[in-house]
Amino acid sequence: MLKKSIVIGMIALVGLGTISKESNAFWGKKKSSVVKLQGSDTILNTSQAIAESFMTENKDARIAVTGGGSGTGIASKLNKTIDIVMASRAMKSGELKKAKELGINLEEIVLGYDGITVIVNKNNNIKNISHEDLGKVFSEEVTNWKQLGGRDAQIVVLSRDSSSGTHSYFKKVIVRNKDKSSKKEYGKNTLYLPSNTAILEEVKSNKNAIGYIGMGYMDPSVNALSVDKISASFKNVANKSYPIAREVYWYVDADRTGVEAQLVDFALSSKGQSIVKAEGFVPVK
Ligand SMILES: *[C@@H]1O[C@H](CO)[C@@H](O)[C@H](O)[C@H]1NC(C)=O
Ligand SMILES: *[C@@H]1O[C@H](CO)[C@@H](O)[C@H](O)[C@H]1NC(C)=O
Ligand SMILES: *[C@@H]1O[C@H](CO)[C@@H](O)[C@H](O)[C@H]1NC(C)=O
Ligand SMILES: CC(=O)N[C@H]1CO[C@H](CO)[C@@H](O)[C@@H]1O
């Protein structure tokens, strides 16, 4: 009997060409709307890979994943145009307060860990930097590679733009050296780029450049600097000895149902977490 109604239902769907509310009620499922994820460029590929793997197992699930930066994802959640925020920084108390006022009940999910990787051109002889010197480079108190034992050349400083969670996190931890009262900013000659890939490409071609990327974007076309002599390796991020390691998040509805709920479970399952690892980040379990 059940089998028969499913067959009839499918014929009706093919005949109509669209999925009506009635046919969904007939199928006994929630309206199959698109679950939308938006935010962090750093975990964009990882989230896309998780969504794709989920959709191969759940053929009628519809998931759309777009970037724009953590700040953009949060703004979209606050105007109720998306379901899940991808974020490479924790939400600020003001943002959480605003969500609450708007009746949006959020839950923070730690998707994995990332070591923010400081990169320089292959031809740069500098291999390590202290976190204090790194802060001075990004606030422009140190402006020449010579001051760090390198060649006599102006340092070209690259940062992610201000909608990036990595931009905010790096400012807090490196530029301001975790000092909450510090008002230090990135130096005025800093070049702001929109993605991890854009930073990587610029460092690859500019022998005086320095920039930072999520560890999942690291490749052998550039050199990574050790920070306080600790490299941004999988192990050093996993045991939190690397100084610029952080959590990466999904902010999801606390009262999630349907595909959103299933997708979150999948992301935290061993299969989902193996994707986090395959994309170059450290899984939570
Ligand atoms: C919601 O916020 C996002 C991000 O700021 C913006 O791009 C979008 O246009 C907004 N949409 C509405 C309907 O307000
Ligand atoms: C991210 O995804 C894009 C498009 O799918 C791909 O071209 C790119 O190589 C991926 N980047 C990394 C670092 O995996
Ligand atoms: C972290 O792991 C690395 C590599 O195994 C090891 O050298 C280092 O001592 C560890 N640090 C801490 C704080 O556990
Ligand atoms: C810039 C910097 O910190 N350089 C150090 C890198 O490590 C070598 C050897 O451990 C030190 O001698 C440098 O001072």
Side-chain angles (χ1 to χ4, degrees):
M1 183 58 202
L2 182 66
K3 226 172 190 171
K4 204 170 172 190
S5 5
I6 289 171
V7 172
I8 295 165
M10 281 174 81
I11 291 164
L13 277 182
V14 172
L16 286 169
T18 56
I19 302 170
S20 72
K21 214 170 179 178
E22 285 73 22
S23 63
N24 274 301
F26 176 82
W27 284 79
K29 280 184 192 158
K30 206 186 159 220
K31 192 166 149 265
S32 78
S33 52
V34 179
V35 169
K36 297 191 189 101
L37 284 75
Q38 192 182 25
S40 169
D41 176 71
T42 303
I43 53 167
L44 177 62
N45 273 27
T46 305
S47 302
Q48 256 163 0
I50 290 171
E52 274 162 25
S53 179
F54 179 85
M55 285 189 284
T56 60
E57 287 179 15
N58 300 272
K59 298 285 185 208
D60 52 359
R62 302 272 177 279
I63 303 169
V65 188
T66 52
S70 304
T72 305
I74 292 164
S76 294
K77 185 66 190 173
L78 294 178
N79 69 19
K80 304 188 180 175
T81 52
I82 63 158
D83 300 289
I84 296 177
V85 179
M86 303 176 286
S88 63
R89 64 163 172 86
M91 277 180 72
K92 296 170 186 160
S93 56
E95 292 165 345
L96 287 168
K97 190 163 161 257
K98 189 157 181 223
K100 211 162 199 175
E101 283 164 9
L102 292 164
I104 305 167
N105 200 0
L106 290 174
E107 186 179 329
E108 180 184 286
I109 302 285
V110 177
L111 187 68
Y113 303 102
D114 178 27
I116 299 178
T117 307
V118 179
I119 55 171
V120 296
N121 187 268
K122 274 279 180 205
N123 294 316
N124 197 319
N125 63 344
I126 304 278
K127 303 284 182 245
N128 59 35
I129 192 164
S130 66
H131 76 272
E132 289 94 347
D133 282 345
L134 191 57
K136 286 178 186 164
V137 168
F138 277 83
S139 62
E140 255 167 44
E141 289 156 77
V142 166
T143 57
N144 194 303
W145 284 111
K146 193 171 65 177
Q147 292 167 277
L148 299 169
R151 71 170 80 89
D152 181 7
Q154 190 82 16
I155 303 174
V156 176
V157 179
L158 311 176
S159 169
R160 294 289 311 288
D161 52 41
S162 61
S163 68
S164 155
T166 314
H167 167 113
S168 308
Y169 185 84
F170 194 86
K171 181 158 88 180
K172 186 173 81 180
V173 172
I174 295 297
V175 176
R176 296 185 174 170
N177 199 11
K178 296 184 184 161
D179 174 359
K180 285 206 171 91
S181 65
S182 170
K183 295 269 184 284
K184 270 192 199 169
E185 293 293 339
Y186 287 99
K188 62 183 189 315
N189 294 310
T190 305
L191 300 173
Y192 295 98
L193 297 176
S195 66
N196 285 279
T197 305
I199 301 249
L200 188 83
E201 290 301 320
E202 185 59 27
V203 169
K204 201 194 286 188
S205 63
N206 186 331
K207 69 181 182 9
N208 296 320
I210 186 169
Y212 56 79
I213 55 173
M215 67 191 288
Y217 287 81
M218 182 59 193
D219 78 29
S221 66
V222 295
N223 285 347
L225 297 187
S226 293
V227 178
D228 299 337
K229 298 189 182 141
I230 300 167
S231 64
S233 67
F234 184 91
K235 281 182 173 167
N236 291 336
V237 171
N239 71 14
K240 300 183 168 60
S241 59
Y242 182 65
I244 355 176
R246 49 143 182 205
E247 294 168 332
V248 288
Y249 311 93
W250 277 6
Y251 285 90
V252 305
D253 293 302
D255 50 1
R256 59 194 173 277
T257 55
V259 172
E260 185 185 358
Q262 290 163 16
L263 179 65
V264 171
D265 291 345
F266 179 78
L268 295 175
S269 70
S270 58
K271 198 160 184 186
Q273 288 291 302
S274 71
I275 295 171
V276 170
K277 191 170 179 187
E279 292 288 326
F281 296 97
V282 175
V284 283
K285 50 189 166 199

